Amino acid sequence: MAGVGGVFDSVKSIYRGKETRRLKVRVVRMWVICAKENPSNVFLVEMVLVDAEGGRIQETIRKAMLKKFMGNVIEGAAYKMTFFGVIDNVGTYRATTHDYKLLFQPRT
């Protein structure tokens, strides 16, 4: 997530299909989702990111990416990011009103 410089996209400009995105955001809220049958088994990490314009978007670290990113992402810290996935923000629980949410990828 580090090492990204230059011009950044706004959170409100994020949509599916745009290949190159660069964000400068702060993690304002972060929480862990555990398996119901085994609370010590972390299933994924969810967070809300905010940019300098106040735009908010939800981001997910799925189980396959937890080893790489867990402990490296800290609530309250600011990050420059690129190489992340964009998916529809659907479901019964939406942490933001943004139409999309982000996914950490191996290159994020």
Side-chain angles (χ1 to χ4, degrees):
M1 288 190 331
V4 179
V7 178
F8 296 95
D9 297 307
S10 68
V11 164
K12 69 180 178 182
S13 73
I14 297 295
Y15 61 92
R16 289 180 72 137
K18 183 177 180 186
E19 294 299 318
T20 305
R21 296 173 207 87
R22 297 156 57 97
L23 294 178
K24 189 174 183 179
V25 294
R26 180 172 306 279
V27 178
V28 294
R29 179 75 174 99
M30 191 164 113
W31 63 100
V32 174
I33 308 293
C34 298
K36 188 175 183 178
E37 63 282 350
N38 183 0
S40 65
N41 182 13
V42 176
F43 184 67
L44 52 89
V45 174
E46 296 280 352
M47 63 192 84
V48 175
L49 309 176
V50 64
D51 67 8
E53 297 175 6
R56 291 177 179 254
I57 194 164
Q58 187 171 341
E59 178 134 25
T60 300
I61 304 174
R62 291 184 174 162
K63 189 168 186 155
M65 297 289 107
L66 284 175
K67 285 184 182 178
K68 180 174 182 177
F69 293 107
M70 196 67 165
N72 294 325
V73 180
I74 301 166
E75 187 174 286
Y79 298 95
K80 298 173 184 176
M81 330 175 23
T82 190
F83 302 118
F84 45 84
V86 178
I87 62 172
D88 293 327
N89 188 11
V90 295
T92 55
Y93 178 75
R94 293 174 51 159
T96 70
T97 58
H98 201 290
D99 290 336
Y100 303 102
K101 68 180 184 176
L102 308 178
L103 294 176
F104 273 66
Q105 303 290 334
R107 291 181 55 198
T108 300

